[in-house]
Amino acid sequence: MTASAATAPVWHFPFDHSYARELQGLYVPWQPQPAPAPRWLRFNHELARDLGLDADRLAGDEGLAVFAGQVVPPGAQPIAQAYAGHQFGGFSTQLGDGRALLLGEVLDPQGRRHDIAFKGSGPTPFSRGGDGKAAVGPVLREFLISEAMHALGIPTTRTLAAVATGETVRRERPLPGAVLTRTAASHLRVGTFQFLAARGDVDGLRRLLRYVIARHDPALVDAREPALALLRAVMERQAALVARWMGVGFIHGVMNTDNMTLSGETIDYGPCAFMEAHDPDTVFSSIDHHGRYAYANQPGIAQWNLARLAETLLLVMDLPEEEAVERATALVNDYPAIYQAYWLAECRRKLGLLDTANALDDQSLANDYLELLHTWQVDHTLGFRLLSTALRTGSPGATPTLAEHFGAGTPALEAWLGRWKHRLAQQPGRADEAAERMDAANPLVIPRNHLVEAALEAASTDADLGPFEALLAAIRRPFDAAPAGTVWAQPAAPEQTRGYQTFCGT
Ligand code: AMP
Ligand code: MG
């Protein structure tokens, strides 16, 4: 039987343009700059199929011309979106898509709406002196890390395609240029509200509020205080998201308000990286001199960003000013408790604990383990992944592999394992069942920095995509036991980690 014409995937994008239609003033129509000599880096077949697109056709020459900005696909209305934002605490009234363009939105077979956007497609009116371009390395980095996040079950924008442009972009050294095609639940961000609030555009804010609710929180359409209801919803999503980041040791690196989505997806894979040895103060970004966006600061920064969102929403609350401020403040002050609930759930998942014991006790058990990882400089990922082995051996203590990571800290580890096993014994279910759950919660494979760098280096300097492909395949199966003992699961050697820095993709 063949698929009927109505349900057959279509190669072009069945674009809609709700953002452009409803949010005049928040964008300028613009065109991508055609790449001179495009070449495929990678097409994401799996994502294309999920979106209901004709993956096989898009993966060919027609797709290459589209993703290189040479052919604007039928129905696309490219726009550069306007937004503002706090960058490292300082406010810019106008940022905007300086090297990105939204082509339009597609509805997937489940009726979910996705933005399709370019990054690196040339300068726009928001480029502020930048060249509007992106380089092969950062584009493939976003591909890898966003796919890893997706495979880990963490909400994220995704990469549909990466193409090399045949152009040289000038950074600290000349680099091959590239364009990334990103999909997102939307590109609406805290900075979108800030753009209108900075201009005192209350009508615009009301329109934006209605639009965001219709798109991301349709259940709130009839809320008595839509602005407060939306704030609460965004807070929940961000708390849930940051708790997941903290669980896997992900450091975003540039949590500016223009890089915080209202959808709750991770966006902007510039200087991000995964922590190896657990250390709350870890910072990778070369421009984060004061550690504003260090690992342990992320939950607090999320709250700070949400307070900035709350400030913009004050302008559209149908309440006396004093009451509006009071209620918004109370809500933002609730953030630590909201976050804590998600973080506890994440910790319990990682430790195989069911929600049957005292929350404070479980949180201290988890905190004590994190402190042990820190003290003994244990790899965050393996420190959690290998815990399940201690439930499988039948022997009372740590397995040799886990103890190896703790070295002289093994007696402290043994003491903690005793407490943990005692706690596990008080909940229903067998130990091997807890071990199964833990292996589905604690990845074995994350995109390790030294492997990511090696893959990007090979792709950028030798146009060799082999290491990228191999790493991509590995990070797409993060919970698989198969890569144990392979390079994909191993931490970097100390000399590879020391002084590791990441750079914004600019
Ligand atoms: P980001 O740090 O990637 O979130 O970018 C912050 C702002 O700088 C956004 O407005 C970007 O569009 C802009 N930007 C970053 N890189 C470039 C570039 N190469 N050319 C033009 N604008 C850029
Ligand atoms: Mg950004």
Side-chain angles (χ1 to χ4, degrees):
M1 218 173 82
T2 56
S4 74
T7 57
V10 275
W11 92 266
H12 64 82
F13 300 88
F15 280 121
D16 186 34
H17 302 281
S18 68
Y19 182 100
R21 216 167 33 240
E22 295 176 41
L23 299 174
Q24 282 87 9
L26 273 173
Y27 63 89
V28 283
W30 206 254
Q31 293 292 309
Q33 206 174 64
R39 169 173 69 77
W40 271 112
L41 294 171
R42 190 58 150 80
F43 181 69
N44 193 338
H45 285 82
E46 179 201 277
L47 174 57
R49 278 191 294 268
D50 288 351
L51 294 174
L53 303 171
D54 187 338
D56 293 336
R57 202 160 161 196
L58 273 177
D61 289 345
E62 284 168 313
L64 180 62
V66 166
F67 296 121
Q70 291 184 322
V71 172
V72 175
Q77 287 175 28
I79 58 170
Q81 294 181 309
Y83 52 85
H86 280 90
Q87 300 182 302
F88 290 91
F91 188 60
S92 291
T93 54
Q94 186 174 297
L95 295 168
D97 286 338
R99 55 168 168 172
L101 288 177
L102 174 64
L103 297 183
E105 304 138 20
V106 296
L107 296 178
D108 70 20
Q110 279 75 46
R112 289 173 304 213
R113 188 174 291 268
H114 304 263
D115 277 4
I116 308 279
F118 287 154
K119 180 171 176 178
S121 50
T124 76
F126 303 119
S127 294
R128 300 174 300 150
D131 62 1
K133 303 292 169 64
V136 166
V139 161
L140 292 181
R141 184 183 175 77
E142 175 156 346
F143 204 132
L144 279 172
I145 314 273
S146 60
E147 276 307 281
M149 295 294 262
H150 175 71
L152 290 165
I154 299 176
T156 179
T157 65
R158 294 189 67 187
T159 307
L160 179 61
V163 299
T165 59
E167 238 178 2
T168 300
V169 297
R170 267 186 281 275
R171 297 294 182 260
E172 273 158 26
R173 56 182 170 133
L175 295 171
V179 179
L180 176 129
T181 301
R182 174 155 77 190
T183 69
S186 82
H187 285 78
L188 298 157
R189 47 195 106 208
V190 172
T192 314
F193 275 101
Q194 289 183 298
F195 181 86
L196 296 172
R199 286 157 182 75
D201 183 354
V202 174
D203 288 343
L205 283 168
R206 284 191 196 285
R207 252 188 299 145
L208 177 59
L209 177 62
R210 271 199 303 276
Y211 179 80
V212 177
I213 288 179
R215 185 157 176 181
H216 292 299
D217 296 283
L220 303 180
V221 173
D222 296 319
R224 184 136 13 109
E225 261 312 320
L228 282 168
L230 178 70
L231 177 59
R232 171 89 203 188
V234 175
M235 284 172 65
E236 290 278 348
R237 287 195 280 268
Q238 284 297 331
L241 178 66
V242 175
R244 295 298 318 277
W245 291 357
M246 300 299 282
V248 295
F250 176 76
I251 302 168
H252 183 282
V254 60
M255 288 179 72
N256 294 331
T257 57
D258 55 305
N259 293 334
M260 183 183 264
T261 59
L262 304 176
S263 68
E265 286 181 343
T266 312
I267 197 169
D268 214 312
Y269 292 93
C272 65
F274 283 73
M275 178 163 71
E276 299 225 314
H278 183 90
D279 181 351
D281 294 331
T282 306
V283 174
F284 291 119
S285 169
S286 62
I287 58 169
D288 192 357
H289 304 297
H290 304 289
R292 180 181 172 88
Y293 301 138
Y295 172 75
N297 287 353
Q298 299 186 116
I301 287 292
Q303 182 182 19
W304 191 89
N305 290 347
L306 291 162
R308 305 289 80 75
L309 174 62
E311 285 162 6
T312 71
L313 292 170
L314 288 176
L315 301 174
V316 290
M317 287 181 196
D318 299 312
L319 295 168
E321 196 184 318
E322 212 171 299
E323 191 187 340
V325 172
E326 210 171 282
R327 290 186 55 187
T329 307
L331 196 46
V332 172
N333 287 343
D334 255 359
Y335 181 80
I338 296 173
Y339 172 76
Q340 176 50 40
Y342 284 103
W343 177 231
L344 172 65
E346 176 74 7
C347 290
R348 280 179 165 153
R349 241 167 39 85
K350 292 183 83 67
L351 297 180
L353 304 179
L354 301 174
D355 180 7
T356 55
N358 182 290
L360 287 178
D361 292 348
D362 280 357
Q363 191 60 63
S364 346
L365 188 66
N367 291 350
D368 290 349
Y369 192 62
L370 290 164
E371 212 174 296
L372 280 182
L373 295 181
H374 182 203
T375 305
W376 300 103
Q377 298 179 32
V378 178
D379 182 80
H380 179 94
T381 303
L382 294 181
F384 278 103
R385 174 67 183 209
L386 294 175
L387 267 181
S388 67
T389 61
L391 296 180
R392 290 209 170 93
T393 52
S395 70
T399 58
T401 38
L402 183 56
E404 216 170 90
H405 289 270
F406 280 79
T410 303
L413 168 67
E414 295 287 1
W416 184 88
L417 287 176
R419 279 170 66 202
W420 173 58
K421 287 184 179 176
H422 181 73
R423 161 65 180 87
L424 277 171
Q426 291 166 340
Q427 70 183 25
R430 295 192 316 268
D432 61 315
E433 290 166 350
E436 287 292 310
R437 284 199 306 277
M438 289 171 68
D439 285 351
N442 295 307
L444 183 58
V445 178
I446 52 156
R448 294 199 177 261
N449 304 322
H450 63 293
L451 298 175
V452 172
E453 293 305 329
L456 303 190
E457 188 63 22
S460 295
T461 51
D462 309 328
D464 174 10
L465 288 162
F468 167 82
E469 288 293 339
L471 182 55
L472 180 64
I475 54 102
R476 279 181 159 169
R477 309 179 66 180
F479 301 103
D480 250 26
T486 67
V487 296
W488 311 118
Q490 298 312 310
E495 66 273 14
Q496 288 172 304
T497 318
R498 207 171 299 129
Y500 179 68
Q501 278 202 325
T502 56
F503 301 90
C504 277
T506 43

